[in-house]
Each structure stands twice: as structure tokens, then as C-alpha cells.
């Protein structure tokens, strides 16, 4: 599907105009960096060796981190699709109307997460002259309407329409399922692989092929490598599972050998892609981002985000704080750390800044993200004061147990400075409204609720959160989510 042709032509012209301005200002052409954006799925903040895992071995990602600026307080949404929509649009998921794990303003699951009218990061870079390629997980819209090909990617490889693969092993489909679900979860484009091949390795191989094609290309590239790992199904090759089974220590926080093996598959694949940058003479010309879409899944013993509280789907730190490393050769300082709170929708305006892409004036005005390029140059710098906001009304389709779950149930959160407030929403099944207040520097585990002892700070954050909700004109929890929960109650 082509978007409005006049709209696209306008932005091509804007991109060319911006490039000419850069040339004129400096009296010579400025090399624009290639962009390699690696996104892991469900990788927790402490799932890497460099971030403190007591089991997982990740030498390749650890090395990348040592060569990058490491953002120690980086955030995303608590689940994958809202995060991905934010990354592509530069907007808070709630600004897009995404307050659950379903489509826009829906509470029953499924549907489009990212409206086709959004002028995406991929479209901005494509219209500025970048070759754009998406490999792997998408899960923000369906092919033909809001898939990667419709949202600015010239090449699309191994992208299904589901949250995860049917299997991580060839032929990458669930042998126990049939029909529509089996087809949606099957991963396409890899039919030439062999039994025993792992999907994570195959995605890396496809990325390597793309990079080889860029060696002598006359256009910079944007490679969006979004892995399915380490989302369920938790599947790793037997030798890796047995390796980690032998390495588990008594009292360790990470104790799942299958998950550890899957993390190693991810690390191996990332290593092969980074090596391909070197082998093809692209490393010094390429800005590399490594990120995770949300916190690690702690249910069913999959992983641990210790000492952060809780995990995926929760608005506690374990659900939304994630690893983020950015390497920009010639700009970032190896081994630097930045403690400034940042969030996924900051990357869109940042990449516009570092590539010289003009983007679209309206999209740029409506973005919630901030340009982080100043932090890449000076990690000790500060962004202008702001609050970070999250809304999660819950679901009746993906997570029906949230009606009664006091940890993972519907909630909102705000971080302002070093303070964070979590508002727990009520449900017809008996959950009560509750306010929690934490001082994150002193209490990163969110173990001491200061709401009663700091009523002034609690009121300040409550007012900020309400003001933001009114500003973005989002339906209230009571008008959108509560009726959906009541409907489930009545049907039982």
C-alpha cells in the first residue's frame, strides 16, 4: 500500500533540502552514519553478563556494551507491541491510544497497533535516501495494511504477523497447531534452511547477507534487526541447555538452562552481525543500537530481573527498565555510562538528528521523544526536565488473570526525577485502587512504599499523571477498561 504520494514527495524534498543545508554549512558533504538497530524481545535488564547475570554468558553483547555508551536507566513499555509502535512513531504508546496489548484503544487483543497514517522512522530514513531493511519480529500491524513493507521498509525478511515464532527450530512453525494461528506464527522466507537450524542464527545470517550487499553501495542503510529471541517458546539447542545445566549455582537468580541457552543463541547471532560490519568495512560508518523491548518474563521461572521488582507486563522497574547500548564510532566514548532516564520513543528524534533526515514537520511536532544525541557526545549531560509516563489498562484476552492479580493488574506509572509513582487500578474482581511511591536511587527494588510518609510528593506526581492523561485525550480507565472487565465477570 502506498501512502499519500504528495505526502511522500514532500518528505523526499525535505530530506534533500536538509542534506543540501548540511553540505552548504560545512562546505563539504557530511557522511551520514549507517544505522543498525538490534532489538531483543523480552530480554531483562540483568540477563546479560555485562549487566550482572549470574549464569548467562554473552561475550559479544558485552563487548559491544564496552565499546558503547551504556544507558543505565533506559525504559520501554511493559510489553512488546506498545514499545515497537513507540520506537517507530516517536510517540508514547498512550499518545497512540495503545493502553493494552491489543490494537489501538482496544482491550480484547489483536488488531493494528500502529496506524498507517503515522510517518514512521523507517519512512523518514527511506525518504532521506537510506536503504531500509526489516528482519524479524514486527507485531505492530498486519501485512497489507500496517506491516513493515507498508511502513517504510524496502526489504522485509522473516517477519510473521504474530508475537513469536511457532518454533525456534526449522521449519519455524508449531507442529502441534493448525489453522490460522499456526499460519500467523510461522516464520516465512527461510524455507531453504535445514532441520536443527535455530531461528535466531538464521536471522543473523540474513543480516550478514544484507550487510555484504551494502559493502559498495552508494546509499547509507537502516537495518532494523528485531529478534524473536528471547520470547517464548523457550527453545535452545541441546548442547547449550546441557552446558548451562552444569553451570547453575546454588542460590543463583538465573536458574533456567533453556532460557540461558536461548540468550546465548541471541549473543552468538549478534556477534556474527557485528563481525560482518567489520569484515565488510562498515563498522566505522555504522551507528549500532542494542535494546530490549521490555523487561524479562519472570513467570513460570523463565528469568529473574533481581534486584529490580517484577517483570514483563508490570509497571515496576523489572517490567520496563531494559538494557540499552549505543555505539557511534568517532562520537561515543567506549565504556561510558549515562544515568539519565531515557525511553524508546526518544530514538526516533535522535536518529533524525544524527542522520540529518528531515522527517515530517507534523510528525516531528507531535513526537513525545527527546533527541539524545547530546548524551551520546557527553553522557554526563542532562536532558531538559520531564516526566516519563506509562498507562496499562490491562486485557481481557491476553491476560484475563489481571482482574485479580495485584502485581500485574491494570495500572499507571510516572517517573519524575528520582521519584516514581505507581497507581494500581481497581477491577470488578476485587482489586482496589492503590497508590505507591518510591525513591528509585535509594530503593531501586521498589520495596518501601513512601506514599503515606510523603503526601506532598505523592500529590505532585498524581497531578502530573492526571494532567498528562488529559493532555493526550485518552479515554479514562473507568470508561474503557472497566466495562471490559465487567463483561468477563458477567460471562462466567
Amino acid at each position: 500500500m502506498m501512502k499519500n504520494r504528495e505526502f511522500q514527495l514532500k518528505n523526499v524534498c525535505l530530506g534533500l533540502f536538509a542534506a543540501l543545508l548540511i553540505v552548504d554549512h560545512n562546505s563539504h558533504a557530511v557522511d551520514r552514519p549507517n544505522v543498525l538497530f538490534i532489538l531483543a524481545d523480552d530480554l531483562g535488564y540483568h540477563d546479560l553478563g555485562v549487566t550482572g547475570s549470574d549464569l548467562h554468558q554473552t561475550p559479544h553483547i558485552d563487548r559491544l556494551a564496552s565499546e558503547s555508551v551504556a544507558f543505565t536507566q533506559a525504559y520501554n513499555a511493559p510489553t512488546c507491541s506498545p514499545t515497537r509502535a513507540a520506537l517507530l512513531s516517536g510517540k508514547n504508546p498512550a499518545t497512540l491510544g495503545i493502553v493494552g496489548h491489543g490494537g489501538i484503544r482496544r482491550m480484547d487483543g489483536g488488531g493494528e497497533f500502529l496506524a498507517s497514517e503515522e510517518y514512521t522512522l523507517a519512512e523518514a530514513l527511506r525518504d532521506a535516501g537510506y536503504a531500509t531493511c526489516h528482519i524479524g519480529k514486527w507485531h505492530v500491524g498486519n501485512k497489507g495494511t500496517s506491516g513493515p513493507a507498508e511502513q517504510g521498509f524496502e526489504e522485509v525478511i522473516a517477519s510473521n504477523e504474530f508475537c513469536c515464532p511457532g518454533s525456534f527450530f526449522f521449519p519455524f512453525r508449531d507442529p502441534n497447531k493448525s489453522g490460522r494461528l499456526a499460519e500467523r506464527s510461522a516464520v516465512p522466507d527461510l524455507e531453504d534452511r535445514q532441520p536443527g537450524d535455530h531461528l535466531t542464527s538464521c536471522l543473523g545470517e540474513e543480516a550478514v547477507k544484507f550487510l555484504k550487499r551494502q559493502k559498495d553501495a552508494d546509499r547509507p542503510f537502516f537495518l532494523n534487526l528485531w529478534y524473536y529471541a528471547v520470547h517464548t517458546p523457550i527453545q535452545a539447542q541441546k548442547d547449550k541447555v546441557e552446558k548451562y545445566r552444569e553451570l547453575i549455582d546454588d542460590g543463583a537468580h538465573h536458574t533456567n538452562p533453556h532460557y540461558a541457552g536461548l540468550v546465548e543463541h541471541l549473543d552468538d547471532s549478534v556477534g556474527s552481525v557485528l563481525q560482518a560490519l567489520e569484515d565488510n568495512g562498515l563498522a566505522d560508518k555504522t551507528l549500532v543500537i542494542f535494546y530490549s523491548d521490555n523487561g524479562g518474563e519472570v513467570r513460570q521461572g523463565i528469568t529473574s530481573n533481581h534486584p529490580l521488582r517484577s517483570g514483563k507486563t508490570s509497571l515496576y522497574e523489572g517490567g520496563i527498565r531494559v538494557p540499552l547500548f549505543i555505539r557511534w564510532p568517532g562520537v561515543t566514548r567506549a565504556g561510558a555510562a549515562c544515568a539519565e532516564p531515557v525511553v524508546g520513543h526518544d530514538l526516533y528524534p535522535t536518529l533524525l538528528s544524527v542522520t540529518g533526515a528531515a522527517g515530517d514537520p507534523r510528525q516531528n511536532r507531535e513526537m513525545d521523544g527527546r533527541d539524545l544525541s547530546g548524551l551520546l557526545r557527553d553522557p554526563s549531560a542532562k536532558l531538559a526536565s520531564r516526566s516519563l509516563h506509562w498507562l496499562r489498562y490491562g486485557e481481557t484476552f491476553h491476560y484475563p488473570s489481571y482482574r485479580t492479580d495485584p502485581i500485574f493488574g491494570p495500572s499507571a506509572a510516572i517517573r519524575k526525577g528520582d521519584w516514581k509513582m505507581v497507581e494500581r487500578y481497581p477491577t470488578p474482581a476485587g482489586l482496589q485502587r492503590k497508590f505507591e511511591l518510591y525513591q528509585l536511587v535509594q530503593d531501586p527494588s521498589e520495596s518501601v512504599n513512601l506514599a503515606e510518609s510523603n503526601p506532598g510528593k505523592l500529590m505532585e506526581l498524581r497531578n502530573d499523571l492526571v494532567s498528562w492523561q488529559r493532555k493526550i485525550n485518552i479515554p479514562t480507565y473507568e470508561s474503557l477498561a472497566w466495562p471490559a472487565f465487567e463483561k468477563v465477570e458477567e460471562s462466567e
Side-chain angles (χ1 to χ4, degrees):
M1 180 184 73
M2 289 291 292
K3 293 191 180 179
N4 186 298
R5 291 181 181 273
E6 293 182 359
F7 184 67
Q8 292 205 2
L9 286 171
K10 174 186 70 175
N11 285 283
V12 170
C13 293
L14 286 170
L16 292 172
F17 180 63
L20 289 171
L21 285 178
I22 294 172
V23 172
D24 180 67
H25 176 73
N26 294 293
S27 300
H28 61 83
V30 175
D31 289 333
R32 296 179 293 168
N34 304 310
V35 179
L36 168 59
F37 185 7
I38 302 172
L39 187 68
D41 193 357
D42 288 5
L43 185 76
Y45 184 83
H46 292 289
D47 274 339
L48 302 168
V50 70
T51 56
S53 173
D54 51 19
L55 177 62
H56 310 152
Q57 297 180 359
T58 54
H60 304 295
I61 300 173
D62 293 354
R63 178 187 171 189
L64 174 64
S66 73
E67 298 168 344
S68 305
V69 173
F71 288 84
T72 60
Q73 298 189 70
Y75 291 94
N76 266 322
T79 55
C80 58
S81 295
T83 285
R84 293 160 195 269
L87 293 170
L88 290 163
S89 68
K91 298 179 181 180
N92 186 298
T95 302
L96 297 166
I98 302 171
V99 291
H101 200 59
I104 294 176
R105 296 191 178 182
R106 288 178 56 178
M107 302 304 301
D108 56 352
E112 304 287 353
F113 285 86
L114 185 63
S116 59
E117 290 77 15
E118 295 292 329
Y119 185 72
T120 69
L121 172 61
E123 290 174 301
L125 294 183
R126 179 201 63 195
D127 293 347
Y130 275 68
T132 57
C133 176
H134 174 80
I135 300 176
K137 178 169 175 173
W138 183 247
H139 205 214
V140 285
N142 297 326
K143 181 178 179 181
T145 54
S146 193
E150 291 76 39
Q151 297 283 33
F153 289 101
E154 297 163 323
E155 288 190 63
V156 180
I157 303 169
S159 180
N160 68 13
E161 293 189 355
F162 201 53
C163 66
C164 44
S167 172
F168 274 102
F169 290 105
F170 182 84
F172 314 123
R173 51 192 306 131
D174 191 335
N176 300 313
K177 287 187 173 65
S178 60
R180 183 171 178 268
L181 182 58
E183 292 306 315
R184 290 186 65 213
S185 62
V187 179
D189 304 328
L190 302 172
E191 292 81 4
D192 60 340
R193 298 317 201 272
Q194 303 297 318
D197 285 349
H198 198 276
L199 175 59
T200 311
S201 301
C202 295
L203 297 187
E205 292 165 3
E206 294 298 322
V208 169
K209 292 177 186 177
F210 175 82
L211 294 175
K212 287 180 179 178
R213 296 197 297 273
Q214 306 312 306
K215 182 176 181 178
D216 300 313
D218 58 0
R219 301 168 64 194
F221 66 80
F222 172 40
L223 173 54
N224 207 46
L225 177 55
W226 286 7
Y227 286 98
Y228 294 92
V230 288
H231 195 289
T232 56
I234 307 301
Q235 297 172 332
Q237 291 174 340
K238 289 182 179 180
D239 61 332
K240 294 187 186 296
V241 175
E242 292 307 313
K243 166 187 171 179
Y244 286 104
R245 201 185 302 278
E246 296 295 322
L247 292 175
I248 297 172
D249 290 330
D250 292 339
H253 296 290
H254 291 132
T255 59
N256 186 329
H258 297 272
Y259 184 77
L262 187 54
V263 172
E264 185 171 294
H265 277 294
L266 173 67
D267 185 69
D268 289 345
S269 186
V270 169
S272 71
V273 176
L274 296 177
Q275 186 60 50
L277 287 177
E278 297 281 354
D279 294 343
N280 292 283
L282 298 168
D284 289 341
K285 308 172 186 177
T286 303
L287 184 149
V288 179
I289 301 168
F290 180 88
Y291 211 3
S292 178
D293 61 353
N294 50 253
E297 176 61 90
V298 298
R299 288 164 292 191
Q300 301 176 343
I302 291 177
T303 191
S304 168
N305 299 308
H306 178 86
L308 303 182
R309 183 176 179 180
S310 194
K312 176 183 177 179
T313 76
S314 165
L315 293 185
Y316 294 116
E317 292 292 284
I320 55 177
R321 194 186 295 194
V322 291
L324 171 61
F325 314 121
I326 302 180
R327 184 181 76 185
W328 186 8
V331 178
T332 54
R333 179 169 54 84
C338 180
E340 192 73 359
V342 300
V343 68
H345 44 266
D346 291 333
L347 289 185
Y348 191 148
T350 301
L351 289 175
L352 290 184
S353 175
V354 303
T355 63
D360 169 69
R362 189 175 83 170
Q363 188 80 23
N364 296 348
R365 285 194 307 270
E366 294 177 352
M367 285 186 199
D368 299 305
R370 299 279 183 86
D371 177 5
L372 306 181
S373 59
L375 299 181
L376 298 179
R377 296 181 173 91
D378 178 8
S380 65
K382 299 292 182 183
L383 297 173
S385 178
R386 65 170 173 175
S387 299
L388 301 181
H389 305 91
W390 293 266
L391 283 180
R392 181 166 177 77
Y393 286 177
E395 291 87 29
T396 58
F397 178 78
H398 282 88
Y399 304 106
S401 63
Y402 283 11
R403 296 172 295 141
T404 57
D405 194 317
I407 301 298
F408 296 98
S411 57
I414 174 175
R415 173 165 180 172
K416 187 175 185 179
D418 295 331
W419 290 91
K420 180 179 174 186
M421 185 194 77
V422 178
E423 179 179 0
R424 313 291 316 178
Y425 287 128
T427 68
L431 293 185
Q432 301 297 312
R433 188 178 301 273
K434 179 183 179 182
F435 294 93
E436 302 172 15
L437 182 68
Y438 302 102
Q439 217 289 346
L440 291 178
V441 172
Q442 300 172 3
D443 182 24
S445 301
E446 298 169 291
S447 58
V448 181
N449 182 3
L450 301 174
E452 291 188 6
S453 60
N454 288 268
K457 181 59 68 173
L458 177 66
M459 185 58 65
E460 176 188 340
L461 267 61
R462 286 184 64 180
N463 290 340
D464 189 318
L465 184 63
V466 170
S467 176
W468 170 71
Q469 289 172 290
R470 289 172 178 165
K471 178 182 176 182
I472 64 174
N473 194 31
I474 197 74
T476 65
Y477 168 77
E478 288 77 9
S479 67
L480 183 63
W482 185 275
F485 282 114
E486 284 185 324
K487 184 177 180 180
V488 174
E489 294 288 301
E490 294 169 358
S491 67
E492 292 182 343

